[in-house]
Amino acid sequence: MTEMNQNLQKNYFSKHLLDWYREHKRDLPWRRSRDPYYIWVSEVMLQQTRVDTVIPYWHRFLDKFPTVQALADAPEEEVLKAWEGLGYYSRARNLQLAVREVHERYGGIVPDEKEAISSLKGVGPYTSGAVLSIAYNKPEPAVDGNVMRVLSRYFNLDDDIAKPRTRVMMEKLAQELIPEGAAGDFNQGLMELGATVCTPKSPSCLTCPVMEHCAGRIAGKEDQLPVKTKAKPPRPERRLMLLIEGTGEHAGKVLIRQRPQEGLLARMWELPHMELEANSDVKSDKKRQAKAGKWVKRKEGTDPLVYKQEDEAYHAQIQGYMATEEHIPVTASDWVMDVEHTFSHIQWQMSVYRGRIADEKAGVQGFLPFHYRWMAQEEMEKYAFPNVFIRVLDHYFDQ
DNA sequence: AATACGGGGCA
DNA sequence: TGCCCAGTATT
């Protein structure tokens, strides 16, 4: 293609996409506001997360923390609780750190300079571009997965979008395409097209505003683009979990604990559990998958005798763990349920057992390790739990 | 460059 | 049920 044709193709794209967006844009709650804080919160929530999931969270979050100051002043546990179920919880912790910095250093005004906003916790190339363009209409690119898919197809680019340098290349291209004075609408249009028309599977080319000059479509390659290396399958971990029921003054309550300050699900609450065995010999991706798929969940209603030996071995394992690692003497009993939970890099395959404190005196709050608590069903609203534990707790309290 | 970090939707 | 989706921080 000649250079002149490339420029025509780019100009056509910019104009038609912008017109299409202004005609067809969805009525999303954060689009009814120009408040940079509202837009920032929406963009952080939208990282790795679909619009329909985000909407109710966004309303609740801004209802609870309506201003930069309100979020800056809130206890972290309340912020985490408001984020419960949304995933990637470092987003919430980093957002609050960043908002505190905006409050202290910038007088509560979200910075409108690339350098300043990019230095905030949790604000990377995408989020800085999104906030600058949408809230301040600055001509900065906002390249997310939607944008890379759209550009790969329209310009028929076979660069691997999993590579960091491809994102850098796409940012240059996306910036060139921004029409004068219309950065916010154009960037949103690019993402909107990817989300609603130029979808990952079976794109709706016939309704696409730029189909006419889409090089990927003209080459008949829209189904093969974008090129993207596959992620490694998650590593399986067999785990045992306990629902420890209180007695006496703790009757009706279960024992929960807070996770460590750093790492996976940092500072969230959970039911006590342990890894059963380290699959240290599981190296190759194929073996990883085979191992992950091999685990078969136990069905409810199966004759307990079938699993008698396994249950006894598991009881011994987790009782030993609770006594040795946690210094809580526990007796494990009935199997409750099997539950599977897949993170992006780990798959938890968990068997849940009922348990009781073996030594009643150790069940007194003062004698528990500091990160353990007795929790009644009504108190679930006070603690932020990852989804996998909410599923188990709901199952337990509902039966 | 590779890995850690959640959860949901769709065929 | 199996596959796909993909921003930021850290190392």
Side-chain angles (χ1 to χ4, degrees), chain A residues 307-317 319 353:
Chain A
Y307 293 104
K308 190 162 180 294
Q309 280 202 316
E310 188 176 76
D311 283 348
E312 284 171 2
Y314 288 170
H315 290 167
Q317 286 266 346
Q319 287 169 186
Y353 287 89

PDB file of all heavy atoms in Angstrom, chain A residues 307-317 319 353:
ATOM      1  N   TYR A 307     -15.314 -43.089  50.916  1.00  0.00           N
ATOM      2  CA  TYR A 307     -14.204 -42.151  51.121  1.00  0.00           C
ATOM      3  C   TYR A 307     -13.619 -42.220  52.534  1.00  0.00           C
ATOM      4  O   TYR A 307     -12.897 -41.320  52.946  1.00  0.00           O
ATOM      5  CB  TYR A 307     -14.683 -40.725  50.843  1.00  0.00           C
ATOM      6  CG  TYR A 307     -15.036 -40.491  49.394  1.00  0.00           C
ATOM      7  CD1 TYR A 307     -16.360 -40.430  48.976  1.00  0.00           C
ATOM      8  CD2 TYR A 307     -14.030 -40.350  48.439  1.00  0.00           C
ATOM      9  CE1 TYR A 307     -16.679 -40.225  47.648  1.00  0.00           C
ATOM     10  CE2 TYR A 307     -14.344 -40.145  47.113  1.00  0.00           C
ATOM     11  CZ  TYR A 307     -15.668 -40.077  46.721  1.00  0.00           C
ATOM     12  OH  TYR A 307     -15.983 -39.873  45.407  1.00  0.00           O
ATOM     13  N   LYS A 308     -13.945 -43.287  53.259  1.00  0.00           N
ATOM     14  CA  LYS A 308     -13.539 -43.371  54.666  1.00  0.00           C
ATOM     15  C   LYS A 308     -12.037 -43.213  54.842  1.00  0.00           C
ATOM     16  O   LYS A 308     -11.573 -42.389  55.638  1.00  0.00           O
ATOM     17  CB  LYS A 308     -13.991 -44.713  55.238  1.00  0.00           C
ATOM     18  CG  LYS A 308     -13.839 -44.838  56.739  1.00  0.00           C
ATOM     19  CD  LYS A 308     -14.695 -45.975  57.286  1.00  0.00           C
ATOM     20  CE  LYS A 308     -14.571 -46.122  58.799  1.00  0.00           C
ATOM     21  NZ  LYS A 308     -13.229 -46.528  59.236  1.00  0.00           N
ATOM     22  N   GLN A 309     -11.285 -43.958  54.060  1.00  0.00           N
ATOM     23  CA  GLN A 309      -9.824 -43.918  54.201  1.00  0.00           C
ATOM     24  C   GLN A 309      -9.264 -42.548  53.843  1.00  0.00           C
ATOM     25  O   GLN A 309      -8.413 -41.994  54.543  1.00  0.00           O
ATOM     26  CB  GLN A 309      -9.193 -44.976  53.306  1.00  0.00           C
ATOM     27  CG  GLN A 309      -9.234 -46.363  53.911  1.00  0.00           C
ATOM     28  CD  GLN A 309      -8.168 -47.260  53.307  1.00  0.00           C
ATOM     29  OE1 GLN A 309      -7.991 -47.258  52.081  1.00  0.00           O
ATOM     30  NE2 GLN A 309      -7.467 -48.002  54.137  1.00  0.00           N
ATOM     31  N   GLU A 310      -9.764 -42.008  52.717  1.00  0.00           N
ATOM     32  CA  GLU A 310      -9.300 -40.684  52.287  1.00  0.00           C
ATOM     33  C   GLU A 310      -9.630 -39.629  53.342  1.00  0.00           C
ATOM     34  O   GLU A 310      -8.783 -38.810  53.697  1.00  0.00           O
ATOM     35  CB  GLU A 310      -9.979 -40.318  50.962  1.00  0.00           C
ATOM     36  CG  GLU A 310      -9.433 -39.055  50.326  1.00  0.00           C
ATOM     37  CD  GLU A 310     -10.071 -38.777  48.966  1.00  0.00           C
ATOM     38  OE1 GLU A 310     -11.232 -38.315  48.932  1.00  0.00           O
ATOM     39  OE2 GLU A 310      -9.399 -39.055  47.961  1.00  0.00           O
ATOM     40  N   ASP A 311     -10.842 -39.680  53.864  1.00  0.00           N
ATOM     41  CA  ASP A 311     -11.243 -38.722  54.899  1.00  0.00           C
ATOM     42  C   ASP A 311     -10.312 -38.788  56.100  1.00  0.00           C
ATOM     43  O   ASP A 311      -9.871 -37.762  56.618  1.00  0.00           O
ATOM     44  CB  ASP A 311     -12.689 -39.003  55.356  1.00  0.00           C
ATOM     45  CG  ASP A 311     -13.715 -38.509  54.352  1.00  0.00           C
ATOM     46  OD1 ASP A 311     -13.314 -37.761  53.433  1.00  0.00           O
ATOM     47  OD2 ASP A 311     -14.894 -38.869  54.486  1.00  0.00           O
ATOM     48  N   GLU A 312     -10.004 -39.996  56.539  1.00  0.00           N
ATOM     49  CA  GLU A 312      -9.148 -40.138  57.729  1.00  0.00           C
ATOM     50  C   GLU A 312      -7.761 -39.562  57.476  1.00  0.00           C
ATOM     51  O   GLU A 312      -7.181 -38.885  58.335  1.00  0.00           O
ATOM     52  CB  GLU A 312      -9.059 -41.619  58.147  1.00  0.00           C
ATOM     53  CG  GLU A 312     -10.335 -42.079  58.855  1.00  0.00           C
ATOM     54  CD  GLU A 312     -10.386 -43.587  59.083  1.00  0.00           C
ATOM     55  OE1 GLU A 312      -9.390 -44.267  58.716  1.00  0.00           O
ATOM     56  OE2 GLU A 312     -11.415 -44.057  59.601  1.00  0.00           O
ATOM     57  N   ALA A 313      -7.235 -39.817  56.294  1.00  0.00           N
ATOM     58  CA  ALA A 313      -5.906 -39.283  55.962  1.00  0.00           C
ATOM     59  C   ALA A 313      -5.942 -37.749  55.919  1.00  0.00           C
ATOM     60  O   ALA A 313      -5.040 -37.078  56.437  1.00  0.00           O
ATOM     61  CB  ALA A 313      -5.452 -39.841  54.622  1.00  0.00           C
ATOM     62  N   TYR A 314      -7.002 -37.210  55.331  1.00  0.00           N
ATOM     63  CA  TYR A 314      -7.121 -35.748  55.234  1.00  0.00           C
ATOM     64  C   TYR A 314      -7.336 -35.113  56.612  1.00  0.00           C
ATOM     65  O   TYR A 314      -6.798 -34.041  56.907  1.00  0.00           O
ATOM     66  CB  TYR A 314      -8.259 -35.366  54.284  1.00  0.00           C
ATOM     67  CG  TYR A 314      -7.955 -35.613  52.818  1.00  0.00           C
ATOM     68  CD1 TYR A 314      -8.956 -35.503  51.861  1.00  0.00           C
ATOM     69  CD2 TYR A 314      -6.670 -35.940  52.398  1.00  0.00           C
ATOM     70  CE1 TYR A 314      -8.690 -35.708  50.509  1.00  0.00           C
ATOM     71  CE2 TYR A 314      -6.392 -36.157  51.057  1.00  0.00           C
ATOM     72  CZ  TYR A 314      -7.407 -36.052  50.115  1.00  0.00           C
ATOM     73  OH  TYR A 314      -7.136 -36.253  48.790  1.00  0.00           O
ATOM     74  N   HIS A 315      -8.146 -35.766  57.438  1.00  0.00           N
ATOM     75  CA  HIS A 315      -8.345 -35.261  58.809  1.00  0.00           C
ATOM     76  C   HIS A 315      -7.005 -35.124  59.515  1.00  0.00           C
ATOM     77  O   HIS A 315      -6.705 -34.100  60.133  1.00  0.00           O
ATOM     78  CB  HIS A 315      -9.236 -36.218  59.610  1.00  0.00           C
ATOM     79  CG  HIS A 315     -10.657 -36.221  59.170  1.00  0.00           C
ATOM     80  ND1 HIS A 315     -11.550 -37.186  59.588  1.00  0.00           N
ATOM     81  CD2 HIS A 315     -11.350 -35.401  58.352  1.00  0.00           C
ATOM     82  CE1 HIS A 315     -12.741 -36.948  59.047  1.00  0.00           C
ATOM     83  NE2 HIS A 315     -12.641 -35.866  58.289  1.00  0.00           N
ATOM     84  N   ALA A 316      -6.194 -36.171  59.399  1.00  0.00           N
ATOM     85  CA  ALA A 316      -4.887 -36.169  60.071  1.00  0.00           C
ATOM     86  C   ALA A 316      -4.014 -35.034  59.536  1.00  0.00           C
ATOM     87  O   ALA A 316      -3.353 -34.324  60.294  1.00  0.00           O
ATOM     88  CB  ALA A 316      -4.197 -37.521  59.881  1.00  0.00           C
ATOM     89  N   GLN A 317      -4.049 -34.855  58.208  1.00  0.00           N
ATOM     90  CA  GLN A 317      -3.233 -33.807  57.584  1.00  0.00           C
ATOM     91  C   GLN A 317      -3.573 -32.426  58.127  1.00  0.00           C
ATOM     92  O   GLN A 317      -2.704 -31.681  58.561  1.00  0.00           O
ATOM     93  CB  GLN A 317      -3.476 -33.794  56.064  1.00  0.00           C
ATOM     94  CG  GLN A 317      -2.836 -34.937  55.318  1.00  0.00           C
ATOM     95  CD  GLN A 317      -1.474 -34.560  54.766  1.00  0.00           C
ATOM     96  OE1 GLN A 317      -1.130 -33.386  54.715  1.00  0.00           O
ATOM     97  NE2 GLN A 317      -0.698 -35.572  54.384  1.00  0.00           N
ATOM     98  N   GLN A 319      -5.460 -31.539  60.704  1.00  0.00           N
ATOM     99  CA  GLN A 319      -5.333 -31.395  62.162  1.00  0.00           C
ATOM    100  C   GLN A 319      -3.882 -31.122  62.528  1.00  0.00           C
ATOM    101  O   GLN A 319      -3.590 -30.275  63.383  1.00  0.00           O
ATOM    102  CB  GLN A 319      -5.842 -32.677  62.868  1.00  0.00           C
ATOM    103  CG  GLN A 319      -7.356 -32.790  62.827  1.00  0.00           C
ATOM    104  CD  GLN A 319      -7.869 -34.149  63.277  1.00  0.00           C
ATOM    105  OE1 GLN A 319      -9.049 -34.404  63.193  1.00  0.00           O
ATOM    106  NE2 GLN A 319      -6.978 -35.026  63.750  1.00  0.00           N
ATOM    107  N   TYR A 353     -13.926 -29.652  54.985  1.00  0.00           N
ATOM    108  CA  TYR A 353     -14.383 -30.490  56.090  1.00  0.00           C
ATOM    109  C   TYR A 353     -14.898 -29.631  57.230  1.00  0.00           C
ATOM    110  O   TYR A 353     -14.448 -28.505  57.426  1.00  0.00           O
ATOM    111  CB  TYR A 353     -13.240 -31.379  56.611  1.00  0.00           C
ATOM    112  CG  TYR A 353     -12.906 -32.515  55.660  1.00  0.00           C
ATOM    113  CD1 TYR A 353     -11.960 -32.337  54.652  1.00  0.00           C
ATOM    114  CD2 TYR A 353     -13.554 -33.737  55.771  1.00  0.00           C
ATOM    115  CE1 TYR A 353     -11.670 -33.360  53.766  1.00  0.00           C
ATOM    116  CE2 TYR A 353     -13.269 -34.767  54.883  1.00  0.00           C
ATOM    117  CZ  TYR A 353     -12.333 -34.577  53.886  1.00  0.00           C
ATOM    118  OH  TYR A 353     -12.064 -35.596  53.019  1.00  0.00           O
TER     119      TYR A 353
END
